[in-house]
């Protein structure tokens, strides 16, 4: 009896452990038929040919998806594809089709296949559009091989989604919109264009690994930037690059009043947003720690007519230091004060004007970035550098001499300083407060 | 009697023709007193010292201006200045003080004096702010000499205003807001800042020439860009650089219907703006001429939900050619059609996506720029490049093959093409249509 059981076990194991399932990899496509897949939305044809899964462009039918019946959350997916001229396609991951969302239209992360330019980027199908576009990444754009088999590798682990095309990193994104869902192969709508009908996208060697992923994960990507869409969090890559959260997204830990007041009624935390409540009298807040050389990134959004500011090099002089001005230039009277625009958004307040108004988005989140390397300082907004200055020398002394800070002894000097957020009695919101110390 | 008259004439001439008035130059400051000048607005002190005109920073008084009693329209103005630490100043030209504008506050073009960074730029005092900022012009920023005498030269001729500081061009602007007005020397408000009180700005050798300017005008500036604020006009420099107007700002000369319709009811010209009237059925318009390699710059503004486009390489295929898409991405349904954003604002319509939405200003004028050099094409918006592509080769053929234009024979090919503005039944406005042919 014992022997029979053992034999049965061995037989069963051998059935499960065919060559494709060694090391925990599983074939999603068996090379013979479409078992395990379901067609959704359009009527484009999917067929099997010579061990290849073939999607066929079809006129007058919407985007068609061949979706896995199973849902996958964390995985490494590898596949090869070869695409005819003029065909747009993509590999959906963690995607969905729900009756109450656009009548079941497939939506979610799509690892792009498109001979035009952007293969390997991530497009949010039928929802928010480009999440990881390749517009500014020519090296990633060149990863795609025209007319040949291309190898795509996708690593989805928790909030991290990374894509490689032919070994070249093409996307590195952190996002939590979808943590699981089906995988799907797209054949894009071609409308009534007869000349595109019949053109194909071919897939083969579609395999997935869902367990023991640690042993196969690729090292951190360095050649392309990472986009982190989860507010108030640090990705592993950000941590490795030395970033730290200046705000935990939940409460005011790490911050204190700069004047000993009870500031927590004025500064509230909700839904991952830190809000200065108007006319609360709560006063400015500062980080408990001081910072020397650093890169600071903060999202901000202002209510109509609002005034606030991100100050740095705050030390012995109360709330006085350098300030990245946050101001509704169009509606706050301070915009026309000071000298020639040096109290406008993005300026070094009352010291040096900067054209923040050219790049700010009203009624939306904006990203302020301040970089300090020794005495060299930069102000950025939404990816555009708007100011650089040297915080030393005769020029700096002259700037301070004519500013509001002329009487301040050793203005913004000394050994590093705190970061301060200004309560100017107006509603301003902050999130995603991140800092990276440099030259450590 | 004749002899007496002659002698009198000679004496009078000699009085007039002192050394400073040779060649038509006149001293605005006589080196002895403030005759010919009037103090306006603030109470800062102006005095004469060692042949220098000295402005003295004074607490608790607004900006103070020493203005010429005369008004000047066209002139060359030269002066020297030396400025203490922390002092902001400037030379107003073509400026005004009117009881019905901010209670007589001096306003208008100010050729900046500011040790901070931007000396030699043009600031529109008490009106619109920076007209010719030096934010992106480090060479111009370096023209100022700290703690020394600086020489400023201003050439104002018609709409052209140009500034040099110590021989370095620092501003080149075309503007018609003010064609004449007084000249004034500023001492900036210092508020209650006692430490700035008494600091000075010193001027000397302030001389002006108002006649026979042609003989002294400087050659065209090349080292810094020109800003032309007069819509639908070409400056001399633009003409010299090869720019031509694609629209005269007044009527539809140079344009024709692309389908033989009477288009003028749908396309109206008023106040220097060309407007597509909604649902007029007027149809697309094209330039009478064809263009090969070119740089095209067009200001556009769209009404809510609008669709239009700037097409180029228009030839044998009706209204079909390459299109710089103009679309209200947030409200027009076409934004989500096509492939992955390739029908959004700034895209090469239905062919290649571009992130125009990141830089467009809703409810405001935007500048589209298209550059064609052989088969290399670029799309820009508001000074930012958002797309470049090669209109040739296998990649291009593939792009067309999967686009709406797959059936079009020799799409956007051939020997140059017309420029077309699209009537998509929505209100869109255009102005400042300028083209420069390249490689002529």
């Amino acid at each position: 009896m014992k022997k029979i059981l053992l034999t049965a076990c061995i037989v069963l194991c051998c059935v499960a452990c065919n060559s494709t399932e060694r090391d925990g990899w599983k074939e999603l496509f068996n090379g013979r038929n479409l078992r395990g897949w379901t067609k959704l939305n359009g009527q484009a044809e999917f067929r099997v040919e010579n061990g290849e899964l073939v999607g066929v462009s079809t006129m007058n039918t919407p985007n068609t998806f061949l979706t896995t019946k199973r849902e996958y959350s964390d995985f490494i997916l590898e596949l090869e594809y070869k695409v005819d001229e003029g065909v747009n396609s993509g590999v959906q991951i963690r995607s969905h089709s729900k009756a109450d969302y656009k009548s079941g239209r497939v939506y979610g992360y799509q690892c792009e296949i498109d001979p035009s330019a952007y293969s390997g980027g991530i497009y949010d199908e039928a929802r928010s559009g480009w999440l990881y576009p390749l517009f500014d990444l020519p090296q990633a754009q060149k990863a795609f091989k025209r007319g040949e088999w291309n190898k795509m590798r996708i690593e989805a682990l928790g909030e991290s989604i990374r894509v490689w095309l032919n070994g070249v990193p093409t996307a590195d994104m952190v996002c939590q919109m979808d943590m699981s869902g089906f995988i799907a192969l797209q054949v894009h709508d071609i409308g009534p264009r007869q000349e595109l009908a019949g053109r194909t996208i071919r897939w083969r060697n579609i395999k997935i690994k869902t367990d023991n992923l640690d042993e196969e994960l690729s090292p951190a990507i360095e050649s392309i930037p990472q986009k982190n869409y989860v507010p108030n969090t640090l990705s592993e890559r950000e941590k490795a690059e030395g970033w730290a959260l200046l705000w935990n997204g939940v409460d005011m830990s790490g911050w204190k009043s700069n004047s000993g007041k009870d500031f927590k009624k004025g500064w509230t935390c909700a839904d991952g947003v830190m809000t200065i409540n108007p006319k609360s009298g709560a006063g400015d807040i500062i980080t408990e720690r001081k910072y020397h050389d650093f890169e600071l990134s903060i999202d901000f959004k202002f209510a109509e007519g609002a005034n606030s500011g991100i100050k740095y090099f705050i030390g012995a002089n109360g709330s006085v230091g350098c300030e990245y001005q946050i101001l509704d230039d169009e509606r706050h009277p301070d915009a026309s004060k000071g000298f020639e625009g040096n109290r406008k958004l993005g300026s070094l307040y009352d010291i040096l004007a900067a054209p923040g108004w050219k790049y700010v988005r009203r009624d939306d989140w904006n990203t302020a970035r301040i970089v300090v390397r020794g005495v060299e300082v930069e102000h950025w907004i939404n990816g555009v550098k708007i100011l650089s200055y040297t915080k030393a020398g005769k020029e700096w002394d002259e700037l301070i001499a004519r500013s509001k800070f002329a009487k301040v002894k050793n203005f913004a000097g000394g050994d590093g300083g705190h970061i301060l957020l200004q309560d100017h009695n107006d509603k301003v919101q902050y999130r995603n407060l991140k800092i990276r110390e440099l030259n450590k």
Side-chain angles (χ1 to χ4, degrees), chain A:
Chain A
M1 186 63 191
K2 240 183 178 176
K3 200 174 178 182
I4 293 171
L5 210 66
L6 188 66
T7 310
C9 278
I10 290 168
V11 168
L12 281 167
C13 282
C14 286
V15 169
C17 303
N18 63 37
S19 66
T20 66
E21 297 188 3
R22 257 181 243 137
D23 308 323
W25 284 93
K26 289 179 190 160
E27 297 281 4
L28 283 182
F29 164 53
N30 63 20
R32 298 182 303 276
N33 56 44
L34 299 180
R35 192 168 300 151
W37 298 85
T38 305
K39 195 162 87 171
L40 286 183
N41 296 178
Q43 292 305 318
E45 185 192 356
F46 286 95
R47 63 175 181 241
V48 178
E49 231 174 66
N50 305 324
E52 296 162 14
L53 198 167
V54 185
V56 186
S57 299
T58 305
M59 283 193 294
N60 301 315
T61 189
N63 289 345
T64 310
F65 296 90
L66 193 67
T67 75
T68 57
K69 288 181 178 166
R70 260 199 62 183
E71 298 212 332
Y72 296 89
S73 50
D74 287 1
F75 59 83
I76 301 174
L77 176 68
E78 285 196 349
L79 55 83
E80 292 173 88
Y81 70 84
K82 189 176 175 182
V83 58
D84 276 355
E85 281 189 28
V87 174
N88 176 282
S89 178
V91 177
Q92 299 288 143
I93 58 167
R94 294 185 176 177
S95 292
H96 304 279
S97 166
K98 293 179 179 172
D100 62 356
Y101 183 78
K102 297 190 178 181
S103 310
R105 187 166 169 191
V106 170
Y107 69 93
Y109 308 139
Q110 179 184 122
C111 302
E112 187 65 31
I113 296 176
D114 190 329
S116 73
Y118 308 136
S119 290
I122 301 175
Y123 185 79
D124 192 21
E125 174 71 15
R127 192 166 46 183
S128 63
W130 282 108
L131 289 169
Y132 199 98
L134 306 188
F135 302 135
D136 299 327
L137 302 173
Q139 287 310 312
Q141 284 183 27
K142 286 175 193 150
F144 175 75
K145 293 179 189 169
R146 191 163 304 281
E148 297 177 35
W149 284 98
N150 288 269
K151 184 169 181 182
M152 183 185 271
R153 179 182 171 101
I154 303 165
E155 298 186 10
L157 188 76
E159 294 162 344
S160 166
I161 295 171
R162 298 186 295 168
V163 184
W164 289 258
L165 187 56
N166 300 317
V168 178
T170 54
D172 185 355
M173 179 175 88
V174 178
C175 195
Q176 61 180 10
M177 273 194 292
D178 298 299
M179 297 303 282
S180 70
F182 55 64
I183 289 164
L185 308 175
Q186 184 194 41
V187 170
H188 204 286
D189 176 16
I190 57 165
R193 285 178 251 170
Q194 195 169 8
E195 66 282 6
L196 292 182
R199 297 195 189 184
T200 59
I201 161 89
R202 290 162 187 273
W203 288 277
R204 68 182 186 192
N205 297 330
I206 309 173
K207 55 180 189 170
I208 196 165
K209 184 180 163 98
T210 54
D211 297 316
N212 303 315
L213 295 177
D214 286 350
E215 66 197 31
E216 292 235 22
L217 286 177
S218 303
I221 289 173
E222 292 179 359
S223 60
I224 53 173
Q226 183 182 67
K227 288 195 183 283
N228 183 351
Y229 286 102
V230 188
N232 311 313
T233 65
L234 292 177
S235 68
E236 291 306 314
R237 180 169 168 186
E238 285 173 303
K239 285 177 200 165
E241 289 173 350
W243 287 95
L245 286 179
L246 260 189
W247 179 50
N248 64 16
V250 179
D251 61 33
M252 298 303 292
S253 307
W255 291 87
K256 59 183 183 181
S257 165
N258 198 33
S259 57
K261 286 184 190 171
D262 174 13
F263 67 97
K264 289 182 185 169
K265 285 183 185 166
W267 293 81
T268 51
C269 307
D271 302 322
V273 174
M274 182 196 289
T275 302
I276 311 171
N277 296 287
K279 303 188 176 35
S280 72
D284 303 338
I285 59 172
I286 62 169
T287 53
E288 288 174 352
R289 273 201 49 196
K290 285 188 173 186
Y291 296 90
H292 297 255
D293 291 359
F294 58 84
E295 187 176 349
L296 173 65
S297 181
I298 299 183
D299 294 352
F300 67 90
K301 192 176 180 179
F302 50 78
E304 211 170 294
N307 186 349
S308 180
I310 303 163
K311 297 190 184 181
Y312 49 104
F313 303 134
I314 297 296
N317 295 307
S319 65
V320 169
C322 292
E323 178 178 2
Y324 183 115
Q325 170 75 326
I326 307 287
L327 195 79
D328 182 349
D329 288 335
E330 290 175 29
R331 300 195 182 94
H332 194 288
D334 209 37
S336 61
K337 296 183 181 165
F339 298 101
E340 279 67 345
N342 69 7
R343 295 191 183 180
K344 288 194 172 190
L345 178 75
S347 295
L348 178 62
Y349 175 71
D350 203 56
I351 300 174
L352 271 171
W357 65 85
K358 283 176 69 173
Y359 306 100
V360 76
R361 297 179 207 136
R362 299 180 57 80
D363 314 316
D364 204 348
W365 287 102
N366 298 275
T367 302
R369 185 163 161 255
I370 301 165
V371 185
V372 176
R373 281 190 186 85
V375 294
E376 302 303 326
V377 184
E378 298 170 357
H379 284 191
W380 296 66
I381 186 166
N382 297 331
V384 181
K385 183 160 76 172
I386 49 173
L387 179 67
S388 58
Y389 67 93
T390 303
K391 190 180 74 77
K394 198 173 173 193
E395 189 164 343
W396 176 251
D397 293 342
E398 291 205 13
L399 283 169
I400 303 312
R402 76 92 186 269
S403 76
K404 280 172 87 168
F405 313 113
K407 285 182 184 169
V408 178
K409 201 176 165 187
N410 195 21
F411 171 79
D415 191 23
H418 301 274
I419 312 294
L420 178 151
L421 297 178
Q422 188 183 37
D423 173 11
H424 211 288
N425 291 319
D426 297 326
K427 182 179 174 184
V428 175
Q429 296 182 302
Y430 293 103
R431 70 173 188 193
N432 254 349
L433 291 86
K434 297 181 182 181
I435 195 162
R436 170 158 77 153
E437 292 178 84
L438 304 172
N439 307 324
K440 285 176 82 174

